[in-house]
Structures are given as C-alpha cells and as structure tokens.
Amino acid sequence: MIGKHVKAAAASITLTTALAGVLVAPSARAATSALATTTSAAAECGVRAHDGRLWCGNSGSAPTRVEPFHESPITGLLQSTFSYFTCWSPGGLHGGGNTTWYRTVPDWSSDGREGYVPADWVFTPSWFDADPSKYGLRRC
C-alpha cells in the first residue's frame, strides 16, 4: 500500500515539474521578445534636429489625455507603436515612477487635438525622462 502512495507521489511530482517547465517557458520567451522590441525601439528613440520632435517607440493603444494627469478626460487613442511627440510636460505620477508626460497627435481623436501620454507608455530611458529639454525636446 505504501508503495502505491510513493509511486503516485513521484508521478505527481514529475508531472508538476514537467508542467511548470511548459508554463514558465512561454513567459520567458515573451519577456525576451518584449525586451528585444523595447531595446530596438529605445535605440531609435531621440529628438530629431530637423523638426525638434521626439520620435520613439511606444505602447500601442495608449489613451491620450487633455492634460498630463490620469484623471484628465481621454481625447484620443495612440494606436501606432512608433510615434512622434511634440513636447513634454510635468504632470501626474505614473507607472514609470516619474511625472513626465509627452504630447502627441493621436491616431484617433474625438476633437482633433493633441493629447498627453505618460512617459511609461513611451520607450524613453529614465535618464531622458528626467529632463527631456536637456536632449532637445521643448517643454509644452
């Protein structure tokens, strides 16, 4: 009787270990892919001298807001994943741990106006977010 319990327990542990490997592996691959995408977008991220705009990769489906605060009404949606940003403004604290927001023309807008996106939706490095004006982007 004890032998059956030991065999069942061993089979259970083997199955659990195998499933854990299957369940963890896709997450690791997804994280690596996301990092590669973020890294390549960040490599292309910068203020272009010819127009003074920040051109950078960003998260798709980012809502744009009237003012640089999460509580501000949504005016549009930035659906593209590489966009330009016309200026920056301090605003509300966001998931990136800072208060930098970037203004852009959304791909879809209820009123045709530019809107603000928090810096954590734009693939800028934290040192850039600390003072975008230092790197050529004007303050709004």
Side-chain angles (χ1 to χ4, degrees), residues 10-104:
S12 177
I13 290 169
T14 302
L15 180 59
T16 302
T17 303
L19 285 176
V22 169
L23 295 175
V24 171
S27 297
R29 281 193 297 269
T32 302
S33 176
L35 178 61
T37 301
T38 301
T39 302
S40 64
E44 299 179 38
C45 191
V47 178
R48 295 185 182 170
H50 75 278
D51 63 7
R53 296 174 176 168
L54 168 64
W55 290 83
C56 199
N58 57 271
S59 297
S61 299
T64 58
R65 299 188 179 272
V66 174
E67 297 294 329
F69 302 96
H70 284 295
E71 301 80 15
S72 183
I74 294 173
T75 61
L77 188 62
L78 186 59
Q79 296 172 307
S80 57
T81 57
F82 190 82
S83 307
Y84 70 84
F85 302 87
T86 57
C87 59
W88 73 277
S89 180
L93 183 65
H94 53 73
N98 64 58
T99 59
T100 300
W101 290 64
Y102 296 103
R103 194 167 74 188
T104 189

